[in-house]
Amino acid sequence: MATPDTTAQSTSGILGGNPYSPLTAAVALLDRDGKVVGWTSAAADEYGFDEDEILGRPFSELVGRAQGRLVLTPHLRGSRQHGWCETREVHHRDGRTVHSVLHLCPLTANGSGISWLVVLVPSDRLQQWATDQAMLNGLFTQSAIALTVYGPDMRVAWVNAAVEAQHGLRPEEWVGQYIADMFPQGEILSPEYRGRALEDVIAQVFHSGAPVLDLHYRSPTSVDPAHLHVWSCSYFRLQDGGGRALGVCESAFDITDRYEARRRLALLGRASSIGRHLDASRTAGELASVLVPEFADMVRVELAEYVLVAAEAAPLAPGGQPYPLRCVVERSADERGAVQAYPSQSPEGRRRLVLPLQAGDRLLGRVILERFAPRDPFGDEDHALAMELVSHTAVCVDNARRYAREHVAALTLQRNLLPATLPEPTGVEIAHHYIPAAGPKGVGGDWYDVIPLSGARVGLVVGDVSGHGLNAAATMGRLRTTVRALASLDLDPGELLTRLGDLVAQARIGIHSVEDDLPEDQAIGARCLYGVYDPASGNCSMASAGHLPPIVTRPDGTAEALDMAIGPPLGADTLPFECTDLELPTDSMLALFTDGLVQRPDADLDSGLAELRRVLGHRGVTPAEARSAIVAWAPAGAARDDTALLLVRVHRLSEPHMASWPIPADTAEVATARNLATHQLTEWGLEDVSFVVELVVSELVTNAIRYGGGPVCLRLLRDRDRTLICEVSDGGHTSPHLRRAGLDDEGGRGLFLVAQLTERWGARYTQDGKTIWTEVPLRMTSPEAP
């Protein structure tokens, strides 16, 4: 165990060394005549003269005169029996003089011939040593810095007066004790040493020699056991001149006020971590994480019921009943989670704070904070800090409530706008899926649709509106409705997207002028893919407005993205869109999707597309099976953006379900057309609709020959057991018009009768002319003759 003397000696050695130490002092021995008879090696080092150069010479030759006389002259001998001290200039061997203090002591020769002992100390070295001693004395007796010396066994060996003053224990009560015995409630706050015993840190310094600086340690004291103090402690090893470890010195000073101020500032800095998620309960948990244990020992956050259900609440009237509250988070620094109740005021001060979570005039909940002894009660600065954090949290909670309301409304709107079930047209199998974006983005503007068209054809749509929330969902609804309206005109995909883009651009020009301060319509820049599949021919025609092309899976299991022209997004340009036509073998599958499916945060777009092709590349997979595989693969991508997915497996109409005949452009051939149709209906067992079909064929073929011109073609399609489609094509582009004939009119009633007897009818145009089509529902009874 180190002693105070050993420690002081070691420390003074570090600071410059004792000039009067027998090991380091410059000493000369003189005989009765003043001649040098002894000269230490330290004197030779200090003044440059070796022993063989100085022995036998008068000592007076080395020193300068004092008041006109030389030191140790014969008439001074015996005048001072107890020695004296003089300041002289002592000659150095190199010619300079060294200002020195000489201590002269008379000796009894005892036959040895030695009469004087002279200790020579350079004045600057003596002054430095005196300063060092004064400094050490101040540290040990007057300094406010607490100094503690630990021995090799990590027990206290010595303390200075500041330790006694701060902790109220006498030195004899310290010596021989472990620090854990003196401070059983103490804890290290520095993160790199948190959870370790202080003796472990002291032992580390003792064995490694590496100092530990600015370690923060918190504990109550004997003088003030009701409050916690924080000290900044530094440790360094004490060792002798040979490098042998003697112990460890600790310097510590109280930084409680500074630590609390920095802690409060750090807590304000951590306020940015509150409200990172637009969820009221998670925001409450983030507040609790900030406050416990740094600021309080326990926190309880209660939120109003209307906040948790994302409802709107009227401002609380003065004197009105408070809203029902529900505890959403309770956190305690106590490992057991025990919670004690304290009154709002106590003789020691405030140990419990109850603060309202309030945004404007809306009461959202409350926050309860508690501190347990020996921690200090809440002060005014603590109260102001807590109010700042709680106010910030209230704004975040209210934002989360508003977002939740909008999210629910947007999700409800989108679910209502998206088709709950899709039609099942002849020639296709359908599977679909929508995945809302996770996190704060929420519902977006992705959509898909399947539109039955004339001639058993089917329209396929997938689109993406930029942005999220109610506006995006509403914009999606507008575009979906517009696409359906344009599809009913039987436009080809390129023409449909061209008209849709024109409508979007016109809406921007009509609604917003240069002076308007309104946000731009979200339909501007929306992307859309539209395709038409004809099961009679197996042909599929597609056009894209800035949208990713579909992936086509062939019957052999190969899956590749369709090589097609990609036009600009909607409203970005007035150029027409280009159609891409391809013939799909039966059992091929189309995958139409939005980019949220393949754009992942950890990979680029090409990697996502390659992975999707891998998932789809299986022979004979059904749309439902492919959907399950994609949903199992896609959740990570869905978190970034919402996703719409439409899977369509195509089939061709078999020959027994369709028949077509060219009809010569002669009105005499109308009867032939009727006979052909009647004979085909008989083969199909559809005699019940023969009367209606004969009338439709007569009217449409007659009009085609008279007003359209050749070539004329009659085609019948049996759409499962639901509908019979009758189509008549001609080379004209004039649209037929339905009108009501007068009582005296001889004609004009044909299309009127067609419209009355069929379920639907219409016209579509091709590059070679037009086609008039009708749909006759099967299992209908023959009407009575007029």
Side-chain angles (χ1 to χ4, degrees):
M1 181 182 298
T3 64
D5 291 341
T6 304
T7 303
Q9 180 178 354
S10 176
T11 306
S12 63
I14 294 172
L15 296 175
N18 186 352
Y20 296 105
S21 169
L23 299 175
T24 60
V27 178
L29 298 177
L30 311 179
D31 61 11
R32 294 176 59 84
D33 296 325
K35 293 181 179 181
V36 179
V37 295
W39 186 253
T40 64
S41 59
D45 294 339
E46 193 70 63
Y47 295 99
F49 293 100
D50 293 334
E51 187 177 16
D52 56 355
E53 295 178 297
I54 201 66
L55 292 180
R57 294 178 57 182
F59 185 71
S60 59
E61 294 180 3
L62 296 177
V63 298
R65 294 176 178 274
Q67 300 177 355
R69 56 183 171 76
L70 294 174
V71 71
L72 297 179
T73 55
H75 69 274
L76 291 177
R77 295 171 187 168
S79 61
R80 299 180 181 178
Q81 300 298 324
H82 303 290
W84 69 93
C85 180
E86 293 185 2
T87 302
R88 295 297 182 90
E89 297 293 335
V90 178
H91 298 291
H92 196 277
R93 189 176 186 279
D94 61 9
R96 59 187 175 88
T97 59
V98 180
H99 193 71
S100 306
V101 176
L102 280 58
H103 295 265
L104 300 98
C105 299
L107 301 175
T108 301
N110 294 328
S112 65
I114 301 175
S115 298
W116 300 91
L117 183 146
V118 182
V119 179
L120 302 89
V121 181
S123 298
D124 55 353
R125 183 179 172 194
L126 182 63
Q127 180 63 35
Q128 181 63 46
W129 180 74
T131 302
D132 292 345
Q133 291 300 108
M135 184 187 69
L136 289 174
N137 182 67
L139 284 174
F140 293 154
T141 62
Q142 301 176 19
S143 173
I145 298 177
L147 297 176
T148 304
V149 175
Y150 301 91
D153 59 356
M154 308 307 125
R155 295 176 184 267
V156 177
W158 178 88
V159 295
N160 71 344
V163 175
E164 179 180 358
Q166 292 182 21
H167 296 280
L169 297 174
R170 297 185 302 276
E172 55 269 24
E173 296 180 85
W174 284 91
V175 175
Q177 299 292 327
Y178 287 112
I179 199 68
D181 298 331
M182 308 298 292
F183 300 104
Q185 294 180 300
E187 61 174 335
I188 297 176
L189 301 179
S190 300
E192 61 270 33
Y193 298 103
R194 188 184 294 272
R196 295 179 58 182
L198 198 57
E199 284 81 0
D200 293 341
V201 179
I202 298 171
Q204 173 185 316
V205 175
F206 180 82
H207 292 295
S208 69
V212 173
L213 306 177
D214 195 28
L215 180 145
H216 291 176
Y217 186 77
R218 180 168 64 187
S219 176
T221 67
S222 300
V223 176
D224 188 13
H227 301 89
L228 294 175
H229 290 254
V230 180
W231 288 273
S232 173
C233 305
S234 297
Y235 301 87
F236 59 91
R237 186 169 71 180
L238 300 176
Q239 56 192 36
D240 58 17
R244 183 172 62 91
L246 303 174
V248 174
C249 182
E250 172 195 80
S251 64
F253 57 95
D254 195 322
I255 60 167
T256 303
D257 293 339
R258 187 181 73 183
Y259 178 83
E260 291 297 323
R262 292 175 60 184
R263 180 186 56 79
R264 285 191 288 267
L265 183 61
L267 284 174
L268 281 177
R270 292 178 60 190
S272 60
S273 65
I274 301 174
R276 293 176 298 178
H277 305 90
L278 288 173
D279 181 272
S281 297
R282 293 187 66 177
T283 299
E286 291 163 354
L287 173 65
S289 298
V290 169
L291 292 175
V292 176
E294 284 79 3
F295 184 77
D297 295 314
M298 191 282 295
V299 62
R300 178 185 174 94
V301 183
E302 300 173 348
L303 296 180
E305 289 285 351
Y306 80 88
V307 174
L308 297 174
V309 298
E312 190 67 37
L316 189 63
Q321 293 295 322
Y323 302 120
L325 300 178
R326 186 195 305 174
C327 177
V328 295
V329 62
E330 184 171 353
R331 182 168 300 179
S332 173
D334 187 349
E335 293 181 354
R336 297 166 299 178
V339 177
Q340 295 175 277
Y342 288 90
S344 297
Q345 297 290 334
S346 70
E348 295 177 305
R350 288 174 294 189
R351 290 204 173 274
R352 187 171 189 261
L353 289 179
V354 180
L355 304 175
L357 268 172
Q358 189 166 348
D361 56 357
R362 297 183 184 277
L363 183 63
L364 307 171
R366 66 177 180 175
V367 178
I368 302 172
L369 301 171
E370 293 192 21
R371 283 183 177 176
F372 309 143
R375 194 167 190 168
D376 291 347
F378 295 106
D380 292 338
E381 292 182 347
D382 294 323
H383 183 270
L385 173 62
M387 282 297 299
E388 184 74 20
L389 293 174
V390 170
S391 297
H392 173 76
T393 304
V395 173
C396 297
V397 168
D398 195 44
N399 288 340
R401 179 189 64 85
R402 294 172 183 271
Y403 163 76
R405 289 186 66 246
E406 180 175 329
H407 181 75
V408 170
L411 189 59
T412 302
L413 176 62
Q414 180 141 15
R415 285 174 176 170
N416 290 332
L417 292 175
L418 285 175
T421 58
L422 291 178
E424 298 181 1
T426 299
V428 294
E429 295 177 57
I430 303 292
H432 55 95
H433 191 65
Y434 173 75
I435 310 172
K441 288 186 175 182
V443 177
D446 291 9
W447 89 94
Y448 55 85
D449 207 350
V450 175
I451 307 171
L453 301 175
S454 64
R457 297 171 308 130
V458 57
L460 307 173
V461 191
V462 66
D464 182 5
V465 175
S466 61
H468 297 81
L470 279 173
N471 289 337
T475 302
M476 176 272 289
R478 290 164 44 204
L479 291 177
R480 177 172 178 262
T481 302
T482 305
V483 169
R484 274 188 160 267
L486 292 175
S488 67
L489 300 178
D490 276 317
L491 302 174
D492 68 75
E495 179 67 19
L496 183 144
L497 291 183
T498 300
R499 294 198 184 186
L500 182 63
D502 290 342
L503 292 174
V504 169
Q506 292 171 13
R508 174 179 61 179
I509 296 173
I511 296 176
H512 303 293
S513 64
V514 177
E515 294 79 11
D516 284 340
D517 194 22
L518 297 173
E520 190 176 55
D521 189 351
Q522 286 185 278
I524 304 296
R527 294 164 294 183
C528 183
L529 176 71
Y530 180 68
V532 175
Y533 173 68
D534 185 354
S537 63
N539 181 73
C540 183
S541 179
M542 285 200 166
S544 170
H547 205 282
L548 293 172
I551 291 179
V552 181
T553 303
R554 303 288 179 175
D556 60 0
T558 59
E560 293 294 336
L562 177 62
D563 184 12
M564 62 179 298
I566 306 296
L570 296 175
D573 204 337
T574 58
L575 294 176
F577 289 89
E578 181 180 345
C579 280
T580 299
D581 294 320
L582 72 157
E583 186 173 341
L584 293 176
T586 190
D587 290 333
S588 298
M589 186 163 63
L590 291 170
L592 290 74
F593 54 91
T594 54
D595 55 4
L597 183 67
V598 291
Q599 282 188 335
R600 298 195 173 200
D602 57 346
D604 57 15
L605 179 62
D606 291 338
S607 299
L609 289 171
E611 183 66 15
L612 180 59
R613 291 196 299 270
R614 185 194 65 79
V615 174
L616 291 171
H618 295 283
R619 185 173 182 177
V621 66
T622 66
E625 293 169 344
R627 176 182 59 190
S628 299
I630 292 173
V631 171
W633 160 73
R640 183 172 182 175
D641 196 2
D642 53 338
T643 297
L645 172 67
L646 180 63
L647 296 167
V648 182
R649 186 160 71 171
V650 300
H651 306 285
R652 289 194 181 187
L653 290 178
S654 60
E655 290 295 335
H657 287 79
M658 58 182 178
S660 62
W661 307 273
I663 305 297
D666 185 350
T667 55
E669 298 296 327
V670 174
T672 303
R674 287 197 303 268
N675 292 334
L676 291 172
T678 302
H679 178 72
Q680 186 64 53
L681 293 177
T682 301
E683 289 188 1
W684 285 344
L686 300 179
E687 293 86 352
D688 290 345
V689 296
S690 292
F691 174 79
V692 174
V693 173
E694 285 185 46
L695 190 151
V696 169
V697 169
S698 295
E699 179 63 28
L700 296 184
V701 171
T702 300
N703 287 344
I705 295 173
R706 287 181 177 178
Y707 308 112
V712 177
C713 180
L714 170 64
R715 185 171 75 165
L716 298 180
L717 300 175
R718 182 176 179 178
D719 186 0
R720 298 181 183 177
D721 294 326
R722 297 176 301 186
T723 306
L724 179 71
I725 301 171
C726 178
E727 297 181 342
V728 176
S729 302
D730 60 55
H733 290 82
T734 303
S735 176
H737 297 283
L738 179 68
R739 67 186 182 89
R740 292 180 179 272
L743 294 177
D744 299 330
D745 292 339
E746 296 182 359
R749 298 178 178 83
L751 284 180
F752 180 80
L753 292 175
V754 169
Q756 293 295 314
L757 296 176
T758 61
E759 189 172 61
R760 292 197 310 156
W761 76 279
R764 65 174 182 268
Y765 297 89
T766 63
Q767 294 180 349
D768 300 326
K770 69 176 182 297
T771 298
I772 308 299
W773 56 269
T774 64
E775 293 182 359
V776 179
L778 299 180
R779 300 191 179 91
M780 64 179 295
T781 59
S782 300
E784 295 181 1

